[in-house]
Amino acid sequence: MPSKIVFIALFVFALNALSADCSFSIRNFNWGNIDLLFSTNASDIQGIFDVNCRNGEPDEQVRVCLNLSTGSGGMDASGDPRYMLNQSSQLAQLRYNLFSDVSRLNPWKLWTSPPPVPPDIVLTLDENGQSTREIPIYARLYGNQSSLPPGYYLSTFSGNQSQVVYGDTSNNCLVMFSQLTPTVVPFNVQMNYPPTCTVTTQPLNFGTIDFRFPTMGTTQIEVQCSNTMTYQISLNGGESGAWNPERRELKTPDMHVLYYGLYQDSAHMRPWGNIVNQDTVQGTGTGLRQSYTVYGFIPAQPDSWVGQYRDRVRVLVYY
């Protein structure tokens, strides 16, 4: 029986050799403390991708390719935005992104993603076979995120989230990522949102009254606090330092006194004072303005003097 000979052709492709050794690092992105309650505009910062090549040949050229994936906080399917996660709840997502251009139009992503692709970074080594480069990475924290709860927000890039390959310029980035073992370049993206509250008030004007009869009046207090944050609103004893919230004092310039009270309800059954957890008003922030009505009551005091009476009450929000 005649023997059969089978020929197998094996094709091996090799990347062109490069003599240089390169190391990489990416500096952390940190916005510090940001008050999201009133941040309607975007906040931009800039990070640095550090490249250091050595031990190469003079005038040798090195192509460097950086892949940035979603980060631990994840990313929208469109590629914009990425997210940082609140480290207390792990549910609240803070919108941001990393970009390759100063206009912040092109998110920095994977080389296998649809265009636009990340920047093509090429270094030319000097006469000592060395080169260093600081490549900017542009970051943007988006505005109008006041509904998020306060806390520390973080996204980590490690493992396959942030990888670099490098080689001879005759090789493109897609080929190098398919054939070379990438270098992991870890970094963090972070921001802290401190708990925040603001309060605005309006005067309580009882108008012109008849001392022989009780008089009622109302005003509004508006509080805006970080979402999910509990708070308490207190009203102090006024300029007289009254300890009884139903026995505050309105006074004329010549110190005639008219007693009045401030209440949490229209029936004037629940005095509004400044003892926390006792006669203060409690609430939970939503990130939006919340309005509370203050009910004023002047009992009949027929022996009072005619004049203009006033008092100044201090509103405090505890959170």
Side-chain angles (χ1 to χ4, degrees):
M1 173 182 291
S3 59
K4 295 182 180 179
I5 300 176
V6 179
F7 293 92
I8 300 176
L10 179 63
F11 297 93
V12 178
F13 297 93
L15 297 179
N16 291 333
L18 183 73
S19 59
D21 297 320
C22 297
S23 60
F24 312 95
S25 65
I26 297 177
R27 305 174 200 179
N28 290 335
F29 296 81
N30 189 351
W31 274 270
N33 291 332
I34 297 287
D35 182 1
L36 295 180
L37 202 59
F38 303 106
S39 297
T40 57
N41 297 323
S43 175
D44 293 341
I45 61 175
Q46 180 177 311
I48 296 295
F49 172 38
D50 291 295
V51 180
N52 182 15
C53 294
R54 60 195 181 280
N55 301 326
E57 299 295 332
D59 297 323
E60 187 175 27
Q61 288 193 317
V62 181
R63 170 165 282 123
V64 176
C65 310
L66 171 62
N67 261 352
L68 293 183
S69 189
T70 63
S72 62
M75 181 171 64
D76 186 80
S78 67
D80 189 24
R82 286 180 168 94
Y83 301 107
M84 286 180 264
L85 296 181
N86 186 300
Q87 296 303 288
S88 296
S89 68
Q90 291 291 316
L91 295 176
Q93 296 177 313
L94 179 67
R95 294 180 290 110
Y96 82 99
N97 218 335
L98 305 176
F99 299 86
S100 60
D101 61 314
V102 68
S103 300
R104 292 166 171 82
L105 297 176
N106 300 314
W108 198 312
K109 47 191 178 178
L110 302 176
W111 274 90
T112 54
S113 303
V117 296
D120 187 18
I121 303 165
V122 175
L123 282 70
T124 300
L125 306 187
D126 61 19
E127 66 275 8
N128 297 315
Q130 300 177 355
S131 181
T132 60
R133 179 84 66 84
E134 294 184 348
I135 294 99
I137 301 176
Y138 304 95
R140 169 164 289 174
L141 181 70
Y142 293 107
N144 294 311
Q145 302 192 71
S146 62
S147 63
L148 292 175
Y152 175 59
Y153 287 81
L154 174 69
S155 183
T156 61
F157 287 75
S158 60
N160 61 4
Q161 298 287 341
S162 176
Q163 297 182 329
V164 180
V165 291
Y166 67 99
D168 186 273
T169 53
S170 62
N171 307 305
N172 66 50
C173 289
L174 285 175
V175 171
M176 286 194 288
F177 269 113
S178 68
Q179 298 193 25
L180 296 177
T181 300
T183 299
V184 175
V185 188
F187 66 95
N188 292 334
V189 181
Q190 60 202 68
M191 190 279 291
N192 186 55
Y193 173 21
T196 304
C197 270
T198 63
V199 59
T200 56
T201 62
Q202 298 293 329
L204 196 167
N205 189 348
F206 288 101
T208 301
I209 70 172
D210 187 334
F211 295 133
R212 297 173 299 170
F213 303 100
T215 303
M216 294 173 285
T218 62
T219 189
Q220 300 293 317
I221 294 174
E222 284 192 345
V223 175
Q224 187 173 5
C225 291
S226 303
N227 194 12
T228 73
M229 191 179 69
T230 58
Y231 59 86
Q232 298 192 37
I233 309 170
S234 77
L235 307 181
N236 77 349
E239 293 180 332
S240 68
W243 62 270
N244 184 349
E246 298 184 274
R247 193 77 172 169
R248 291 179 166 93
E249 297 179 2
L250 290 161
K251 292 182 179 180
T252 63
D254 50 359
M255 304 306 289
H256 294 294
V257 174
L258 187 66
Y259 295 105
Y260 76 103
L262 297 176
Y263 299 85
Q264 304 175 33
D265 63 315
S266 59
H268 309 117
M269 298 297 293
R270 291 184 290 135
W272 194 332
N274 62 352
I275 302 177
V276 174
N277 296 324
Q278 182 171 319
D279 58 7
T280 55
V281 171
Q282 301 183 15
T284 300
T286 64
L288 304 174
R289 290 186 178 183
Q290 296 170 287
S291 184
Y292 296 89
T293 301
V294 182
Y295 299 89
F297 180 75
I298 302 175
Q301 298 168 70
D303 296 330
S304 298
W305 289 76
V306 173
Q308 290 190 344
Y309 291 79
R310 67 178 295 277
D311 190 18
R312 184 182 296 272
V313 175
R314 189 177 183 185
V315 181
L316 291 177
V317 178
Y318 297 93
Y319 59 94

Short mmCIF file of all heavy atoms in Angstrom, two decimals, residues 204-217 258-261 268 295-301:
data_model
loop_
_atom_site.label_atom_id
_atom_site.label_comp_id
_atom_site.label_asym_id
_atom_site.label_seq_id
_atom_site.Cartn_x
_atom_site.Cartn_y
_atom_site.Cartn_z
N LEU A 204 -42.41 86.67 59.92
CA LEU A 204 -43.78 86.41 60.36
C LEU A 204 -44.36 87.75 60.79
O LEU A 204 -43.94 88.34 61.79
CB LEU A 204 -43.79 85.42 61.53
CG LEU A 204 -45.13 84.75 61.87
CD1 LEU A 204 -44.90 83.57 62.83
CD2 LEU A 204 -46.13 85.70 62.51
N ASN A 205 -45.32 88.24 60.03
CA ASN A 205 -45.91 89.56 60.28
C ASN A 205 -47.36 89.38 60.73
O ASN A 205 -48.21 88.96 59.94
CB ASN A 205 -45.83 90.40 59.01
CG ASN A 205 -46.22 91.85 59.24
OD1 ASN A 205 -46.75 92.20 60.30
ND2 ASN A 205 -45.95 92.69 58.27
N PHE A 206 -47.63 89.73 61.99
CA PHE A 206 -49.00 89.61 62.51
C PHE A 206 -49.88 90.78 62.05
O PHE A 206 -51.10 90.75 62.25
CB PHE A 206 -48.97 89.58 64.04
CG PHE A 206 -48.44 88.28 64.61
CD1 PHE A 206 -47.14 88.21 65.07
CD2 PHE A 206 -49.25 87.16 64.68
CE1 PHE A 206 -46.65 87.03 65.61
CE2 PHE A 206 -48.75 85.97 65.22
CZ PHE A 206 -47.45 85.91 65.69
N GLY A 207 -49.27 91.82 61.46
CA GLY A 207 -50.04 92.96 61.00
C GLY A 207 -50.51 93.83 62.15
O GLY A 207 -49.95 93.82 63.26
N THR A 208 -51.57 94.60 61.90
CA THR A 208 -52.18 95.44 62.93
C THR A 208 -53.20 94.60 63.70
O THR A 208 -54.08 94.00 63.09
CB THR A 208 -52.86 96.66 62.31
OG1 THR A 208 -51.88 97.42 61.57
CG2 THR A 208 -53.48 97.55 63.39
N ILE A 209 -53.06 94.56 65.02
CA ILE A 209 -53.89 93.65 65.80
C ILE A 209 -54.70 94.41 66.85
O ILE A 209 -54.38 95.55 67.21
CB ILE A 209 -53.04 92.55 66.48
CG1 ILE A 209 -52.19 93.15 67.61
CG2 ILE A 209 -52.14 91.86 65.45
CD1 ILE A 209 -51.48 92.10 68.44
N ASP A 210 -55.72 93.77 67.36
CA ASP A 210 -56.53 94.26 68.47
C ASP A 210 -56.15 93.43 69.69
O ASP A 210 -56.36 92.22 69.73
CB ASP A 210 -58.01 94.08 68.15
CG ASP A 210 -58.92 94.72 69.20
OD1 ASP A 210 -58.49 94.84 70.36
OD2 ASP A 210 -60.08 95.06 68.87
N PHE A 211 -55.54 94.07 70.70
CA PHE A 211 -55.01 93.33 71.85
C PHE A 211 -56.09 92.57 72.62
O PHE A 211 -55.78 91.68 73.42
CB PHE A 211 -54.31 94.30 72.82
CG PHE A 211 -53.08 94.95 72.23
CD1 PHE A 211 -52.88 96.32 72.36
CD2 PHE A 211 -52.13 94.20 71.57
CE1 PHE A 211 -51.75 96.92 71.84
CE2 PHE A 211 -50.99 94.80 71.05
CZ PHE A 211 -50.81 96.15 71.17
N ARG A 212 -57.35 92.93 72.39
CA ARG A 212 -58.42 92.27 73.14
C ARG A 212 -58.71 90.86 72.64
O ARG A 212 -59.40 90.10 73.33
CB ARG A 212 -59.71 93.12 73.04
CG ARG A 212 -59.60 94.50 73.65
CD ARG A 212 -60.84 95.30 73.35
NE ARG A 212 -61.03 95.48 71.89
CZ ARG A 212 -62.15 95.98 71.36
NH1 ARG A 212 -63.16 96.33 72.14
NH2 ARG A 212 -62.24 96.12 70.05
N PHE A 213 -58.19 90.52 71.47
CA PHE A 213 -58.52 89.22 70.86
C PHE A 213 -57.23 88.48 70.46
O PHE A 213 -56.22 89.11 70.16
CB PHE A 213 -59.39 89.41 69.62
CG PHE A 213 -60.65 90.18 69.90
CD1 PHE A 213 -60.74 91.53 69.58
CD2 PHE A 213 -61.74 89.54 70.48
CE1 PHE A 213 -61.90 92.24 69.83
CE2 PHE A 213 -62.91 90.25 70.73
CZ PHE A 213 -62.98 91.60 70.41
N PRO A 214 -57.28 87.14 70.43
CA PRO A 214 -56.12 86.38 69.96
C PRO A 214 -55.84 86.68 68.48
O PRO A 214 -56.76 86.96 67.71
CB PRO A 214 -56.54 84.91 70.16
CG PRO A 214 -57.65 84.95 71.14
CD PRO A 214 -58.36 86.26 70.90
N THR A 215 -54.56 86.59 68.11
CA THR A 215 -54.14 86.83 66.74
C THR A 215 -53.24 85.69 66.27
O THR A 215 -52.40 85.21 67.02
CB THR A 215 -53.37 88.15 66.62
OG1 THR A 215 -54.20 89.22 67.11
CG2 THR A 215 -52.97 88.43 65.19
N MET A 216 -53.47 85.28 65.03
CA MET A 216 -52.69 84.19 64.46
C MET A 216 -51.96 84.68 63.20
O MET A 216 -52.43 85.59 62.52
CB MET A 216 -53.58 83.00 64.13
CG MET A 216 -54.18 82.32 65.35
SD MET A 216 -55.38 81.04 64.95
CE MET A 216 -56.78 82.05 64.46
N GLY A 217 -50.86 84.03 62.89
CA GLY A 217 -50.10 84.33 61.68
C GLY A 217 -49.23 83.14 61.31
O GLY A 217 -49.00 82.25 62.12
N LEU A 258 -45.13 91.98 74.59
CA LEU A 258 -46.32 91.27 74.12
C LEU A 258 -45.91 89.81 73.94
O LEU A 258 -45.00 89.49 73.17
CB LEU A 258 -46.81 91.85 72.80
CG LEU A 258 -48.14 91.33 72.24
CD1 LEU A 258 -49.30 91.73 73.15
CD2 LEU A 258 -48.37 91.87 70.84
N TYR A 259 -46.56 88.91 74.68
CA TYR A 259 -46.17 87.49 74.65
C TYR A 259 -46.79 86.79 73.43
O TYR A 259 -47.92 87.09 73.03
CB TYR A 259 -46.61 86.80 75.93
CG TYR A 259 -45.91 87.33 77.15
CD1 TYR A 259 -46.58 88.17 78.05
CD2 TYR A 259 -44.59 87.01 77.40
CE1 TYR A 259 -45.93 88.67 79.17
CE2 TYR A 259 -43.94 87.50 78.52
CZ TYR A 259 -44.61 88.34 79.39
OH TYR A 259 -43.97 88.83 80.50
N TYR A 260 -46.02 85.86 72.88
CA TYR A 260 -46.51 85.09 71.73
C TYR A 260 -45.85 83.72 71.74
O TYR A 260 -44.88 83.47 72.48
CB TYR A 260 -46.21 85.81 70.42
CG TYR A 260 -44.76 85.73 69.97
CD1 TYR A 260 -44.38 84.86 68.94
CD2 TYR A 260 -43.76 86.51 70.57
CE1 TYR A 260 -43.05 84.78 68.52
CE2 TYR A 260 -42.45 86.43 70.16
CZ TYR A 260 -42.10 85.56 69.14
OH TYR A 260 -40.79 85.47 68.73
N GLY A 261 -46.36 82.83 70.91
CA GLY A 261 -45.79 81.49 70.78
C GLY A 261 -45.65 81.09 69.32
O GLY A 261 -46.34 81.62 68.44
N HIS A 268 -52.14 74.94 67.28
CA HIS A 268 -51.28 75.51 68.33
C HIS A 268 -51.18 74.59 69.54
O HIS A 268 -51.22 75.04 70.70
CB HIS A 268 -51.79 76.90 68.76
CG HIS A 268 -52.02 77.82 67.60
ND1 HIS A 268 -53.27 78.32 67.28
CD2 HIS A 268 -51.17 78.30 66.65
CE1 HIS A 268 -53.18 79.09 66.20
NE2 HIS A 268 -51.91 79.09 65.80
N TYR A 295 -46.46 78.35 62.70
CA TYR A 295 -47.74 78.92 63.11
C TYR A 295 -47.51 79.80 64.34
O TYR A 295 -47.08 79.33 65.39
CB TYR A 295 -48.75 77.84 63.43
CG TYR A 295 -49.06 76.95 62.24
CD1 TYR A 295 -48.32 75.81 61.98
CD2 TYR A 295 -50.10 77.27 61.36
CE1 TYR A 295 -48.58 75.00 60.88
CE2 TYR A 295 -50.39 76.47 60.26
CZ TYR A 295 -49.62 75.34 60.03
OH TYR A 295 -49.90 74.54 58.94
N GLY A 296 -47.78 81.10 64.18
CA GLY A 296 -47.62 82.03 65.29
C GLY A 296 -48.96 82.32 65.96
O GLY A 296 -50.01 82.33 65.31
N PHE A 297 -48.91 82.56 67.28
CA PHE A 297 -50.15 82.82 68.04
C PHE A 297 -49.86 83.84 69.14
O PHE A 297 -48.94 83.66 69.95
CB PHE A 297 -50.67 81.52 68.66
CG PHE A 297 -51.93 81.70 69.45
CD1 PHE A 297 -53.15 81.88 68.82
CD2 PHE A 297 -51.90 81.68 70.85
CE1 PHE A 297 -54.32 82.05 69.57
CE2 PHE A 297 -53.06 81.83 71.60
CZ PHE A 297 -54.27 82.02 70.95
N ILE A 298 -50.66 84.92 69.13
CA ILE A 298 -50.60 85.93 70.19
C ILE A 298 -51.91 85.84 70.97
O ILE A 298 -53.00 86.11 70.42
CB ILE A 298 -50.44 87.35 69.62
CG1 ILE A 298 -49.18 87.45 68.77
CG2 ILE A 298 -50.41 88.37 70.75
CD1 ILE A 298 -49.01 88.79 68.07
N PRO A 299 -51.87 85.43 72.23
CA PRO A 299 -53.11 85.39 73.02
C PRO A 299 -53.61 86.81 73.32
O PRO A 299 -52.87 87.79 73.19
CB PRO A 299 -52.68 84.67 74.29
CG PRO A 299 -51.22 84.89 74.40
CD PRO A 299 -50.70 84.99 72.99
N ALA A 300 -54.87 86.93 73.69
CA ALA A 300 -55.43 88.23 74.05
C ALA A 300 -54.66 88.82 75.23
O ALA A 300 -54.43 88.15 76.23
CB ALA A 300 -56.91 88.08 74.40
N GLN A 301 -54.26 90.09 75.09
CA GLN A 301 -53.53 90.81 76.14
C GLN A 301 -54.03 92.25 76.16
O GLN A 301 -53.35 93.17 75.70
CB GLN A 301 -52.02 90.73 75.90
CG GLN A 301 -51.48 89.30 75.92
CD GLN A 301 -50.07 89.15 75.40
OE1 GLN A 301 -49.11 89.60 76.04
NE2 GLN A 301 -49.94 88.52 74.23
#
